[in-house]
Amino acid sequence: MASQGERTRRRAALAVVAACVVALSYGVDGVQADAPDPKVQTTTGTIVTNADGSHTLTIRGQWQWTTHHGDCNQNGRAIGYAVDWFDPHQPGNHVTTLNGSSIDVGAASATKWNPADNLVHGTPPANDSTDPTQWSGGCGTYDPSLGYNTGTWGPISHTFDPTVAGPYRVCVVLYDVHAHKTSELTAGGSKRNTDNSSEKNVHTPLGNGCFQVTIAGGTTTTTPTTTTTTPTTTTSATTTTTAPTTTTTPATTTTPTTTTTPAPPRSYTGTPTISASPSPCPENPNQVSAGTSGAGSIHLVSVPPGV
């Protein structure tokens, strides 16, 4: 039979193990280690066809951090983001694999069309920099009636070469960035910030994932939403001067309307109030309802680079 001293030592050892388990699940400030969920249906995009035939896609959207109770602006936090562009000619930086599909953000190497990009970009108000003393990002606005912060991300742009005409698939990964930590500004790869919405959000309403939006060359559609607004088109002019005459070549910017069309293997369907069904993704066994009405389901998958 164990002595009183041995029993005391065993209880102390068990307490240490329990503390380690809690530390792995929660951040240093006592809140669960996770990142905001994207508000998928708020994602919008514009496509500009350039004179050389390339296409520049600019996107933006919103986020909400329902699991962080309290104002994240008050505890040294900022929200960052990176985008999986699914560019077949410029792959991104690997974040994780869900359901056998890879999530890859930014651009792993430079091309004629885009520089290399492996930065966690700051949300407004933001100053993007690889220097943590210069980088800054916001943490949205705290709503006492909700008990959490909401905010926006973007705008951010990516140019596809002329052979990639669309429609374009994108998804955003959100990051929890703590103050003055250089490693937390790296979006993908082995030294990435792992406190992100694709890896640490098992307890959030949407769960781990990278929720895809499809943007066509004139329309952005969201299923099962049935309302479609006719897109508007604005024409600006770019000027090319050849002495002694000036020729003006119009460039067309198409501002699409928003619906989100799930395109396998990573998709999202739902109305602004989302009822989330359990995900097949084993990283998200505890997915919960994100709204009180509406119909739809969330499929937490990802797609390797490719259109």
Side-chain angles (χ1 to χ4, degrees):
M1 179 178 293
S3 67
Q4 180 64 35
E6 289 173 338
R7 287 195 295 271
T8 300
R9 285 192 294 273
R10 288 174 183 174
R11 284 195 294 269
L14 289 173
V16 170
V17 172
C20 291
V21 171
V22 171
L24 288 172
S25 300
Y26 291 84
V28 294
D29 55 359
V31 297
Q32 190 166 287
D34 58 16
D37 281 331
K39 297 175 72 174
V40 183
Q41 290 178 303
T42 67
T43 303
T44 59
T46 60
I47 302 168
V48 174
T49 300
N50 303 304
D52 60 5
S54 62
H55 310 281
T56 299
L57 172 61
T58 302
I59 60 172
R60 68 186 72 205
Q62 300 176 22
W63 56 265
Q64 58 184 1
W65 203 357
T66 60
T67 54
H68 188 93
H69 302 294
D71 186 355
C72 57
N73 290 291
Q74 301 302 316
N75 49 30
R77 312 296 267 278
I79 303 306
Y81 71 99
V83 175
D84 189 336
W85 298 101
F86 300 98
D87 188 337
H89 300 155
Q90 192 173 23
N93 305 280
H94 183 66
V95 175
T96 190
T97 299
L98 295 176
N99 291 338
S101 297
S102 181
I103 297 171
D104 307 285
V105 296
S109 59
T111 67
K112 173 182 177 180
W113 315 104
N114 304 285
D117 177 21
N118 194 21
L119 182 67
V120 173
H121 297 276
T123 58
N127 178 46
D128 283 345
S129 173
T130 55
D131 181 352
T133 65
Q134 300 299 317
W135 187 97
S136 65
C139 207
T141 302
Y142 178 70
D143 186 338
S145 66
L146 295 174
Y148 56 82
N149 290 61
T150 62
T152 63
W153 57 268
I156 188 170
S157 299
H158 183 87
T159 298
F160 296 84
D161 73 46
T163 66
V164 185
Y168 303 100
R169 296 172 294 143
V170 296
C171 70
V172 64
V173 177
L174 293 160
Y175 297 79
D176 178 10
V177 180
H178 298 75
H180 307 304
K181 290 190 176 181
T182 306
S183 62
E184 296 192 2
L185 301 183
T186 302
S190 60
K191 297 182 179 181
R192 69 188 178 280
N193 180 351
T194 60
D195 197 355
N196 63 66
S197 58
S198 292
E199 297 183 88
K200 291 293 180 67
N201 276 21
V202 67
H203 296 295
T204 68
L206 291 188
N208 288 336
C210 194
F211 303 94
Q212 182 178 299
V213 173
T214 298
I215 301 177
T219 317
T220 305
T221 51
T222 303
T223 309
T225 307
T226 57
T227 302
T228 302
T229 304
T230 303
T232 59
T233 302
T234 60
T235 302
S236 57
T238 56
T239 303
T240 303
T241 303
T242 305
T245 61
T246 300
T247 302
T248 301
T249 304
T252 301
T253 301
T254 302
T255 303
T257 57
T258 299
T259 18
T260 302
T261 300
R266 184 181 320 140
S267 62
Y268 162 87
T269 60
T271 58
T273 53
I274 301 170
S275 175
S277 62
S279 167
C281 176
E283 289 85 0
N284 183 21
N286 299 310
Q287 200 167 27
V288 297
S289 174
T292 58
S293 64
S297 62
I298 296 166
H299 306 283
L300 312 181
V301 297
S302 61
V303 172
V307 174

